Amino acid sequence: MEFVSAIIGPVVEALMMPVKKHLGYIFSSTNNIRKMNTRLKKLDTKSIDVRNHMETNNTSQLEIPTEVPGWLEEVEKIKEDAERISSNYNGCLSVKRRYQAGRNAFKTTEEIDRLIQENTEMKWTNTPKPLGKVSFKKEPTSVPSNGDAKNYFNSREKIFEDALGFVQHDHKMQVIALCGMGGVGKTTMMEQLGKTVKNRNIFGWIVKVVIGQKINTLSIQQAVAEYIGQTLTEMSIAARADRLRTTFEKMSQEGKKVIVILDDVWEVVELNDIGLSPLPTGFKLLLTSRNETVCKQIAVEANSDVKVVRVDVMEESEANNFFCEITGVSKESDPGLNEIGNQIVKRCGFLPLAIKLIATTLKSQEICVWRDTLNRLKNNDLDKNVQEIIEFSYTSIREEDVKVIFLLCGLFPDDFNIPIEDLTRYAWGLKLLKGVPTLGDARDRTKTCVRKLKNANLLIDSDYLECVKMHDLVLAFVQGEVSKGDHPWIINHGDISRWSRAEMSRSCQKISLTCMGMTEFPKEFKYPKLTLLRLMGGDRTLEFPEDFYEEMENLEVIVYEKMEYPLLPRSLQCSTNLRTLILHQCLLMFDCSSIGDLLNLEVLSFAHCGIHKLPSTIGNLKKLKQLDLTGCVNLHIDEGVFKGLVKLEELYMRVSDGKRIRFTDANFNELAQCSRNLSALEIEFFENKAQPKNFSFKKLERFRISVGSARQSYSEDNSKSMHSFKNMLNLITTKDELMESRLNELFPKTEVLFLEVNGMNDLVEILVTSVCPTRQSFYNLKELHISKCADLRYLFTVPVANGLVKLERLTIRKCPVMEIVAYSESGAEGVIKFQELKFLYLSDLPMLVGFCNTISLIEQPQLVELILDGLPKFTSIYSENKSSTFSLSSSAIQPFLSKEVLCVCQNINYQSHI
């Protein structure tokens, strides 16, 4: 009997296991659903954290783990499944439905637990994202238009759609070429194609390189490498090509889709030199060129057929309308002037660039100017017309300041993003701007000049903030202009091996050279009339003659960029006139004390250089007005440096990633004394003892100051804002320390404000009403980020809220006792209006019950994104308004939002789905 039981018992148990499991789905269905919902809340929290992390990395151009987009999509699907299970259950008495709900909830919970586990295994890094990598985004429901009428016109729609079709769908056609004459709009169409394929996520990588008239293989290789995140340490072209080829082959094997854009191709580019011969599987090549034959030859090397898309000039009617649109003169308003305009358009050959340039020049001009322009255009061929049109625009500039800033732009290579700050520093050193006593005044004047040049279409917008670009035709004109006359400029950013010695005139005034591939400067490099020397891209093999600076006593500006071992000016001959010395991204792994002998220096920049010590001799520069130490990590500053800089107006010392400049007590004391004269300051105080005590901020107009943290605004795209400047305060401190530092005096000028302040009950407590009325204390504020304020019960009063007229982003998180956002002391009802607010994020506020205690209406007409997370007591928008009984449902949100808004609500006490 025992033997039988020993055999039958396990068999019965095995048979009963499935039965027990399925019965469990019935009897434990409620528990399974409750457990599923509990786990789902945890998953929701983690998914929000992942999305925020992904947004931060996207805006900061940092890598995102490859599994993140797929994980987020799975989370959304699980949330839909869980919601369907819960909504279909409702305590149902049906055994079948209870069984299905219990089983589905159990399996969904297992999937949720799997996703939570995968989340813990995600590895986030601070690795910069390669320029060419496309950020993940869901494909838009509607494709953007091909471009507005000012760029593409009706006649361009089919051309654009054809090109897009070849890029997107024709997998056999790997090379697509946009061909047409200069100024016809090839680059504009190429850029629109790039934006479209990026928005549609057609390619995972977009690599763009501007070739230009002179092919510089080393520069092309370097540009390609930067886009794909590759570091090229090899010296020879062949070795660098092999490195790129290996990377591209790996990308192809991994199934990655890549489009390589070569813009402004004049000659055949050896694809083998950039690792693209033949083109790997999954790769496409998009060319823009004036020469179809060149494109076909490149396609042969790519081992592919080529599809040439012709970009022609505009149709006559479109060209006339385009001209009229710019000048504001139509057939109805002035038939006579309109007829002259039509003839001018014909003389421009219906070329968009030429029409745009000349129409801008003629806008608001008298008829005699129009007639004279037409007469000057007659009897010339098209190329000369274009050149003359640019000359018309240039000669029509009356202000000498605008002209000199325009010519300075010619110092930069093709398609270069020209920082306005660089133009300011060059112009200051060369004494080109009249009547500007301070660098701040010079910067304003330069920006004004740039604005006028953009309005005249001689400069165009850049991809980067605070930068501009110059069309290649305009650049050719400028470089031709400055190469003429008694004091020509030497500008060579192509192949330095083709640099003719005949170009070396002793009367030359300005030189700008790219030195990549150059090993030795010629010994006969002597320019007694030289006022500006700008050298870029030289590696450690580049050698300078010992007497390099002899006979250069007239030098006023020296610029070294990405030069591993630049030759610092040592000769006293350079100290007489030299006013600007710029060293950007140079190693400088040697003694820099000789710079202290350049006694007339007024602008000195070591931005992103490898300098580890600022020697005491820098304190000898009694005339120095600007010192830029941006990105100088672990820098030690000798005692006496700041004490000696008695004329200093601007000081930039921001260092990213928490790698601070090493301040001593003596440095702080000297800097506090120096601060009384500063109009611009960028500095980070990391340590608790490093508080800005005894500092004066009364003269500051430009500032980025951090206390206790090196965190930067995550709302900015750092890769495109490297030259921009927003007045920012980032303060992790206490109320008493903040009041003592008097940093709050800067609030009226602040654009971005991060606050983590203990001991503060509301913002009014830290305002300086003697400096600015309460309502106007944050007049210029565009971003406000409040975090971990332990004592904050409400953020601002209604008058302060209504004074935030420029606020675009408001983030409040982890404030444990905050009950409402805006407080009305009088109890009277009224209106709060955030005219520019686009982003509102309220998170982890356990005591928050509403937005305002009495206000009956909160207007946010521009709001596009609302995120509410971790607000367990937040049940209504208007917490104490007796006349408003809105629960946090769709009806409660409606008066809060004026249009369609992305709304994410998590961990909130509400009943209805929003």
Side-chain angles (χ1 to χ4, degrees):
M1 194 68 179
E2 292 179 357
F3 175 76
V4 173
S5 297
I7 296 176
I8 296 178
V11 174
V12 172
E13 184 69 22
L15 293 174
M16 288 299 294
M17 284 293 290
V19 176
K20 289 180 179 180
K21 179 179 179 181
H22 290 281
L23 287 174
Y25 291 149
I26 298 174
F27 295 111
S28 301
S29 59
T30 301
N31 289 334
N32 286 350
I33 291 174
R34 186 181 296 113
K35 182 179 179 181
M36 176 189 70
N37 289 332
T38 300
R39 301 299 288 166
L40 185 61
K41 287 182 179 180
K42 183 175 181 180
L43 181 62
D44 276 344
T45 300
K46 291 186 176 296
S47 69
I48 290 176
D49 289 340
V50 170
R51 286 188 185 278
N52 290 339
H53 204 159
M54 184 169 71
E55 178 188 0
T56 301
N57 278 25
N58 269 332
T59 56
S60 300
Q61 292 296 301
L62 301 178
E63 283 278 29
I64 297 170
T66 55
E67 66 270 24
V68 165
W71 185 86
L72 288 172
E73 288 183 349
E74 286 194 67
V75 169
E76 292 302 314
K77 185 177 183 303
I78 286 293
K79 287 166 65 176
E80 293 174 0
D81 293 342
E83 183 179 350
R84 188 163 48 250
I85 294 169
S86 296
S87 61
N88 291 338
Y89 179 63
N90 294 327
C92 179
L93 297 177
S94 167
V95 173
K96 179 179 179 181
R97 293 182 66 183
R98 288 177 65 88
Y99 167 79
Q100 291 175 338
R103 183 189 61 180
N104 292 340
F106 180 84
K107 292 184 177 180
T108 300
T109 302
E110 290 183 328
E111 288 298 302
I112 291 173
D113 287 337
R114 176 182 63 80
L115 291 172
I116 291 174
Q117 179 60 33
E118 288 179 0
N119 172 256
T120 61
E121 296 172 356
M122 290 180 183
K123 295 182 179 180
W124 296 84
T125 68
N126 288 325
T127 304
K129 183 170 64 176
L131 294 175
K133 193 170 185 180
V134 177
S135 302
F136 170 82
K137 61 174 73 173
K138 290 187 177 180
E139 183 175 337
T141 55
S142 62
V143 178
S145 64
N146 298 345
D148 57 40
K150 293 182 180 180
N151 286 334
Y152 285 100
F153 321 100
N154 295 331
S155 64
R156 302 294 176 93
E157 289 184 5
K158 185 178 185 308
I159 299 174
F160 180 85
E161 290 297 336
D162 288 345
L164 182 61
F166 297 132
V167 170
Q168 184 174 2
H169 301 299
D170 195 335
H171 302 296
K172 295 182 180 179
M173 195 69 63
Q174 284 187 280
V175 180
I176 301 94
L178 302 179
C179 293
M181 64 182 306
V184 79
K186 302 182 296 299
T187 296
T188 302
M189 184 172 288
M190 176 273 295
E191 289 174 347
Q192 187 65 23
L193 282 169
K195 290 178 182 177
T196 302
V197 298
K198 184 176 183 179
N199 289 336
R200 295 188 183 185
N201 293 307
I202 298 173
F203 295 91
W205 295 76
I206 299 176
V207 179
K208 178 185 173 183
V209 182
V210 180
I211 304 302
Q213 296 186 41
K214 296 182 179 180
I215 294 177
N216 187 328
T217 302
L218 291 171
S219 295
I220 296 172
Q221 290 176 329
Q222 184 63 33
V224 171
E226 289 176 356
Y227 270 92
I228 62 176
Q230 179 75 61
T231 300
L232 298 177
T233 58
E234 296 80 7
M235 300 298 294
S236 70
I237 290 176
R240 290 156 68 96
D242 287 340
R243 174 71 64 186
L244 291 173
R245 182 177 296 104
T246 301
T247 302
F248 285 139
E249 288 175 354
K250 183 179 179 181
M251 294 171 74
S252 176
Q253 293 168 2
E254 293 173 352
K256 295 178 179 177
K257 299 185 68 178
V258 181
I259 182 168
V260 179
I261 300 173
L262 301 183
D263 186 28
D264 196 22
V265 177
W266 290 66
E267 301 176 12
V268 176
V269 179
E270 297 293 338
L271 296 183
N272 189 58
D273 289 340
I274 52 177
L276 290 173
S277 178
L279 277 176
T281 303
F283 280 57
K284 287 211 172 185
L285 184 63
L286 177 61
L287 310 171
T288 70
S289 178
R290 304 181 186 190
N291 193 324
E292 286 186 28
T293 302
V294 168
C295 296
K296 292 176 181 178
Q297 291 173 334
I298 293 175
V300 171
E301 186 179 352
N303 195 27
S304 169
D305 292 333
V306 60
K307 186 63 181 181
V308 175
V309 179
R310 288 286 310 170
V311 184
D312 294 320
V313 297
M314 299 158 61
E315 295 178 356
E316 183 171 356
S317 60
E318 290 176 338
N320 289 332
N321 290 336
F322 183 44
F323 184 89
C324 293
E325 189 173 350
I326 297 173
T327 60
V329 176
S330 64
K331 186 176 182 180
E332 292 74 21
S333 64
D334 193 331
L337 210 57
N338 179 259
E339 176 58 30
I340 297 175
N342 291 343
Q343 295 181 53
I344 290 174
V345 168
K346 287 183 180 179
R347 292 296 175 182
C348 290
F350 311 126
L351 188 66
L353 175 64
I355 294 171
K356 188 175 183 180
L357 288 171
I358 198 167
T360 303
T361 302
L362 293 177
K363 186 175 182 180
S364 303
Q365 295 293 329
E366 296 178 358
I367 189 171
C368 60
V369 180
W370 287 53
R371 287 197 299 259
D372 180 66
T373 299
L374 178 59
N375 290 332
R376 293 173 66 185
L377 288 173
K378 287 180 178 179
N379 302 318
N380 292 315
D381 59 40
L382 183 61
D383 289 338
K384 290 182 180 180
N385 279 345
V386 174
Q387 293 298 320
E388 192 161 327
I389 289 167
I390 298 172
E391 187 173 358
F392 288 164
S393 299
Y394 173 67
T395 55
S396 67
I397 299 173
R398 296 179 180 178
E399 299 94 337
E400 195 63 30
D401 287 352
V402 180
K403 284 188 175 182
V404 297
I405 293 298
F406 177 60
L407 295 179
L408 282 180
C409 292
L411 293 170
F412 296 84
D414 294 356
D415 203 55
F416 197 87
N417 295 294
I418 306 169
I420 296 175
E421 183 65 22
D422 285 4
L423 295 175
T424 301
R425 295 175 181 182
Y426 296 1
W428 179 269
L430 295 169
K431 302 179 183 178
L432 297 177
L433 304 176
K434 307 302 180 183
V436 285
T438 69
L439 275 164
D441 295 331
R443 187 177 295 108
D444 289 342
R445 178 71 60 81
T446 304
K447 288 183 177 180
T448 301
C449 293
V450 166
R451 174 61 57 187
K452 291 180 179 180
L453 290 167
K454 287 169 66 176
N455 290 341
N457 291 293
L458 291 172
L459 293 179
I460 58 179
D461 287 325
S462 166
D463 299 329
Y464 294 84
L465 300 174
E466 298 293 331
C467 292
V468 290
K469 295 174 77 171
M470 184 174 277
H471 192 281
D472 56 353
L473 288 176
V474 179
L475 179 61
F477 166 78
V478 174
Q479 293 183 348
E481 189 74 14
V482 299
S483 66
K484 299 181 296 184
D486 296 332
H487 304 292
W489 301 10
I490 295 177
I491 302 171
N492 189 315
H493 298 296
D495 189 349
I496 199 68
S497 65
R498 299 180 184 179
W499 179 25
S500 171
R501 294 295 189 271
E503 295 178 347
M504 295 169 38
S505 167
R506 289 178 60 85
S507 64
C508 179
Q509 274 196 341
K510 297 174 181 64
I511 293 179
S512 182
L513 301 175
T514 297
C515 303
M516 188 175 294
M518 190 175 185
T519 59
E520 182 180 11
F521 258 92
K523 295 181 179 180
E524 62 271 24
F525 195 90
K526 304 296 180 186
Y527 297 95
K529 295 185 179 181
L530 192 66
T531 59
L532 180 144
L533 175 65
R534 182 172 182 266
L535 303 178
M536 301 183 298
D539 57 34
R540 65 189 62 196
T541 64
L542 179 60
E543 296 182 358
F544 294 86
E546 292 184 2
D547 59 349
F548 182 72
Y549 288 110
E550 283 192 10
E551 297 187 35
M552 293 189 191
E553 59 273 10
N554 288 312
L555 268 177
E556 296 175 320
V557 177
I558 296 178
V559 182
Y560 289 111
E561 294 186 9
K562 296 184 179 179
M563 299 282 288
E564 296 197 22
Y565 290 103
L567 182 64
L568 298 184
R570 297 175 180 271
S571 171
L572 290 177
Q573 291 179 324
C574 288
S575 68
T576 305
N577 293 300
L578 191 64
R579 300 195 338 146
T580 295
L581 176 60
I582 296 176
L583 303 158
H584 283 180
Q585 300 183 57
C586 301
L587 285 183
L588 298 183
M589 304 298 289
F590 45 80
D591 183 17
C592 299
S593 59
S594 62
I595 292 177
D597 296 331
L598 305 172
L599 301 180
N600 288 317
L601 208 60
E602 297 184 9
V603 174
L604 175 59
S605 176
F606 292 105
H608 304 289
C609 287
I611 182 174
H612 294 309
K613 178 182 178 182
L614 197 65
S616 59
T617 56
I618 299 298
N620 297 334
L621 304 177
K622 306 298 182 183
K623 296 184 180 181
L624 196 68
K625 292 179 178 291
Q626 184 189 76
L627 177 60
D628 190 349
L629 302 173
T630 303
C632 295
V633 299
N634 297 320
L635 179 66
H636 170 79
I637 302 173
D638 278 355
E639 185 174 345
V641 169
F642 293 129
K643 185 178 180 180
L645 303 180
V646 293
K647 297 289 187 181
L648 197 65
E649 298 174 4
E650 299 186 354
L651 176 61
Y652 303 102
M653 308 178 72
R654 180 170 55 93
V655 184
S656 60
D657 300 328
K659 298 176 181 178
R660 59 189 178 88
I661 291 177
R662 299 182 179 277
F663 293 111
T664 64
D665 291 340
N667 293 153
F668 277 123
N669 293 334
E670 293 177 17
L671 191 53
Q673 184 70 22
C674 183
S675 67
R676 299 175 183 177
N677 297 320
L678 293 179
S679 61
L681 176 63
E682 194 173 20
I683 192 170
E684 295 159 344
F685 301 92
F686 291 120
E687 301 172 354
N688 292 331
K689 67 176 182 179
Q691 295 290 333
K693 298 178 181 179
N694 302 319
F695 275 64
S696 174
F697 306 111
K698 291 182 179 180
K699 291 187 177 181
L700 282 188
E701 296 297 329
R702 287 163 54 90
F703 53 86
R704 281 197 284 203
I705 301 174
S706 293
V707 175
S709 170
R711 174 183 57 195
Q712 299 299 315
S713 170
Y714 56 78
S715 64
E716 289 186 0
D717 185 343
N718 291 329
S719 70
K720 294 189 176 182
S721 63
M722 64 183 78
H723 302 289
S724 67
F725 201 106
K726 289 183 179 180
N727 285 347
M728 185 193 77
L729 292 177
N730 180 12
L731 309 177
I732 299 180
T733 183
T734 66
K735 173 187 171 183
D736 293 339
E737 289 176 342
L738 174 57
M739 301 298 285
E740 182 182 0
S741 71
R742 304 191 68 82
L743 280 165
N744 49 354
E745 294 179 353
L746 293 173
F747 285 168
K749 301 177 182 178
T750 301
E751 297 173 274
V752 180
L753 178 60
F754 291 86
L755 283 181
E756 184 178 325
V757 182
N758 288 327
M760 176 182 69
N761 292 315
D762 61 80
L763 278 183
V764 177
E765 290 186 342
I766 59 173
L767 300 182
V768 185
T769 55
S770 61
V771 174
C772 190
T774 299
R775 182 183 176 90
Q776 300 175 9
S777 294
F778 297 105
Y779 177 78
N780 285 298
L781 197 64
K782 295 182 179 179
E783 298 185 27
L784 176 58
H785 305 275
I786 306 294
S787 177
K788 298 179 184 179
C789 294
D791 305 294
L792 192 67
R793 301 189 66 84
Y794 63 89
L795 184 56
F796 34 59
T797 60
V798 172
V800 173
N802 281 322
L804 297 167
V805 294
K806 298 181 181 179
L807 190 67
E808 298 178 2
R809 299 174 67 93
L810 174 59
T811 300
I812 310 172
R813 55 190 296 271
K814 296 184 179 181
C815 297
V817 300
M818 176 181 276
E819 298 178 2
I820 53 177
V821 177
Y823 175 71
S824 175
E825 296 174 334
S826 63
E829 296 186 10
V831 177
I832 292 178
K833 188 169 185 178
F834 295 108
Q835 183 63 43
E836 301 297 328
L837 192 66
K838 298 179 178 64
F839 178 89
L840 176 60
Y841 179 21
L842 305 178
S843 170
D844 298 320
L845 305 172
M847 303 303 292
L848 190 72
V849 295
F851 197 89
C852 186
N853 58 330
T854 62
I855 295 300
S856 59
L857 182 61
I858 302 171
E859 296 182 7
Q860 301 172 105
Q862 304 297 325
L863 194 68
V864 296
E865 186 170 347
L866 169 67
I867 298 179
L868 308 175
D869 180 28
L871 314 177
K873 294 189 177 183
F874 192 69
T875 57
S876 66
I877 297 297
Y878 319 107
S879 59
E880 297 179 11
N881 187 356
K882 299 297 189 292
S883 64
S884 299
T885 58
F886 302 112
S887 63
L888 191 61
S889 62
S890 58
S891 62
I893 290 292
Q894 193 57 41
F896 192 58
L897 311 175
S898 62
K899 62 179 183 177
E900 184 177 348
V901 174
L902 173 61
C903 182
V904 180
C905 301
Q906 305 291 344
N907 301 319
I908 306 173
N909 182 18
Y910 68 92
Q911 301 298 323
S912 301
H913 175 66
I914 299 176

